[in-house]
Amino acid sequence: MTQSNKDIDALIEMMAKLPGLGPRSARRAVLHMIKKRSLLMMPLADTLQTVAATARECLNCGNIGTTDICDICESEKRATGEICVVEDVADLWAMERGQVFKGRYHVLGGTLSALDAIGPDELRIPKLLDRVTSEGVTEVILALNATIDGQTTAHYIADQLEARQIAVTSLAQGVPIGGELDYLDDGTISAALKARKAI
Amino acid sequence: MTQSNKDIDALIEMMAKLPGLGPRSARRAVLHMIKKRSLLMMPLADTLQTVAATARECLNCGNIGTTDICDICESEKRATGEICVVEDVADLWAMERGQVFKGRYHVLGGTLSALDAIGPDELRIPKLLDRVTSEGVTEVILALNATIDGQTTAHYIADQLEARQIAVTSLAQGVPIGGELDYLDDGTISAALKARKAI
């Protein structure tokens, strides 16, 4: 890049490394920020500093927060005896946006994968088994992605929990709300048909 | 948004205000940054702080830099007696990427517009006329966008400079390099035909 200033060049180069931004959109974003310096750029720089300095994984569940134990694990209201197991923090955020689940989470940090040599100890599975005992959990909800690795991981966890007297459930599979049958894949349609229910 | 942490929420909200990013891509960008904390997030936060604290418009040409007079205006090598007039800093950057123009710039900060009540004094036109005298300018290149407002502004500036003994030129209009005739608009084709040259 041959802009006029080395700090601005460096900023554009770093912004271009963010997912969803390339060199062109990074330039646009930086110009936009400089034009809205006090309204946008300064608060953004401050918040970015704060988060960069304090962001960490929750020691209990693996969620990202700014404290050793995240707000969800801290909250007594969330001690419902339910743990929702997700692959990634992004999935936890997606579940929270649903605003229905009132229990706690457990972020695995990936899925079991024979190809990538990821076994149970590379994920947070031992910690999950600990929590099931120590937190008096009554139900583990497996909210893993409907991929082969996701489902393998779900089966593995279900096996591990079998001996204990707790419910192990998974998210329902079916037609998404607002989804049109014509555009759905065959697998989803057949899963939705098998799981049909009386109305 | 109902993520787990207020600083991270605030960061996502601010990132979502950048052009080209929405709530979803802002979330992805923030998660990506947190995962690459020391490699990406910390340097980005530092650079953003620096630029937010120091970015300013060059008092001479209107380019954005971190000093009162930008690097291009400071450089003796760029004192070629040519001034390239552009609407916006983004256009200046685009010209610089071309790596052909060796003179200085003048950023108008917009175009004349009767509808938006933008007259010559709202732009940096008086400053341009000053510079033409004080910097011993021999050629003014009008690199304004090929829009109606852009061309109106170009004509106005050309009129103002008419009395002085300097060349006033504009960028050539024609077929872009790599452009296919079939996909070009009629206006460009007719402009390119009118400006045809012997080979």
Side-chain angles (χ1 to χ4, degrees):
Chain A
M1 263 175 279
T2 54
Q3 264 83 64
S4 46
N5 183 278
K6 73 171 170 40
D7 286 329
I8 297 177
D9 279 3
L11 182 58
I12 292 171
E13 217 169 287
M14 282 187 262
M15 291 288 293
K17 285 182 191 158
L18 296 179
L21 289 175
R24 181 179 291 266
S25 42
R27 281 196 299 268
R28 262 184 73 205
V30 168
L31 264 183
H32 180 85
M33 282 195 288
I34 292 177
K35 280 176 190 164
K36 303 212 163 188
R37 193 145 68 119
S38 52
L39 264 175
L40 178 58
M41 194 175 200
M42 287 180 164
L44 180 59
D46 289 341
T47 314
L48 203 57
Q49 283 281 17
T50 311
V51 174
T54 57
R56 69 197 72 185
E57 284 181 352
C58 172
L59 297 176
N60 197 42
C61 74
N63 184 18
I64 285 173
T66 52
T67 45
D68 276 342
I69 301 293
C70 75
D71 297 356
I72 296 177
C73 286
E74 280 280 320
S75 166
E76 271 308 312
K77 280 189 196 158
R78 311 285 303 234
T80 58
E82 290 167 347
I83 285 188
C84 177
V85 177
V86 291
E87 280 180 33
D88 200 82
V89 175
D91 300 331
L92 187 160
W93 290 358
M95 290 291 299
E96 281 292 278
R97 285 197 299 281
Q99 297 187 340
V100 169
F101 181 65
K102 299 297 180 202
R104 288 177 177 159
Y105 292 93
H106 194 78
V107 181
L108 293 178
T111 50
L112 295 176
S113 166
L115 273 179
D116 300 328
I118 298 179
D121 295 336
E122 272 76 43
L123 305 178
R124 275 193 203 82
I125 293 179
K127 177 74 188 167
L128 172 65
L129 303 179
D130 286 354
R131 287 183 67 192
V132 167
T133 314
S134 66
E135 295 185 23
V137 169
T138 54
E139 181 175 358
V140 170
I141 300 163
L142 299 171
L144 301 173
N145 291 333
T147 57
I148 291 180
D149 281 346
Q151 294 309 302
T152 309
T153 311
H155 281 294
Y156 177 84
I157 294 174
D159 277 353
Q160 297 292 307
L161 294 172
E162 208 177 24
R164 316 191 190 204
Q165 293 301 312
I166 55 169
V168 179
T169 57
S170 76
L171 293 187
Q173 294 189 317
V175 181
I177 306 295
E180 291 184 44
L181 290 187
D182 198 16
Y183 292 99
L184 277 179
D185 62 299
D186 307 349
T188 304
I189 290 188
S190 92
L193 183 65
K194 278 184 206 147
R196 67 190 178 279
K197 50 184 188 172
I199 48 172
Chain B
M1 266 175 278
T2 55
Q3 264 83 66
S4 47
N5 184 278
K6 72 172 172 35
D7 286 328
I8 297 177
D9 279 4
L11 182 58
I12 292 172
E13 215 168 291
M14 282 187 262
M15 292 288 292
K17 284 182 192 159
L18 296 178
L21 288 176
R24 181 179 291 265
S25 43
R27 281 196 300 269
R28 263 183 74 205
V30 168
L31 265 183
H32 180 84
M33 282 196 288
I34 292 177
K35 281 175 188 164
K36 304 212 163 189
R37 193 146 66 119
S38 52
L39 264 173
L40 178 58
M41 193 175 200
M42 287 179 165
L44 180 59
D46 290 341
T47 314
L48 202 58
Q49 282 282 15
T50 312
V51 174
T54 57
R56 69 197 71 186
E57 284 182 352
C58 171
L59 296 176
N60 196 41
C61 74
N63 183 17
I64 285 173
T66 52
T67 45
D68 276 344
I69 301 294
C70 76
D71 297 356
I72 295 178
C73 287
E74 279 280 320
S75 165
E76 271 308 313
K77 279 188 196 158
R78 310 286 302 237
T80 58
E82 290 166 347
I83 285 188
C84 176
V85 177
V86 291
E87 280 179 35
D88 199 81
V89 176
D91 300 331
L92 187 160
W93 290 359
M95 291 291 299
E96 281 292 276
R97 285 198 300 280
Q99 297 188 339
V100 169
F101 182 66
K102 299 297 181 202
R104 287 178 177 159
Y105 293 93
H106 195 78
V107 181
L108 293 179
T111 50
L112 295 176
S113 167
L115 272 179
D116 300 329
I118 298 180
D121 294 336
E122 271 77 44
L123 305 176
R124 275 193 204 80
I125 292 179
K127 177 76 188 167
L128 172 65
L129 303 179
D130 286 354
R131 286 184 68 191
V132 166
T133 314
S134 66
E135 294 184 25
V137 169
T138 54
E139 180 174 359
V140 170
I141 301 163
L142 299 171
L144 300 174
N145 292 333
T147 57
I148 291 180
D149 281 346
Q151 294 310 302
T152 309
T153 311
H155 282 293
Y156 176 84
I157 294 174
D159 277 354
Q160 297 292 308
L161 294 172
E162 209 176 23
R164 317 193 189 202
Q165 294 299 312
I166 55 170
V168 178
T169 57
S170 75
L171 293 188
Q173 293 190 317
V175 182
I177 305 296
E180 292 184 43
L181 290 187
D182 197 16
Y183 292 99
L184 277 178
D185 62 297
D186 306 349
T188 304
I189 291 189
S190 93
L193 183 66
K194 276 185 208 148
R196 67 190 177 277
K197 50 185 188 169
I199 49 170

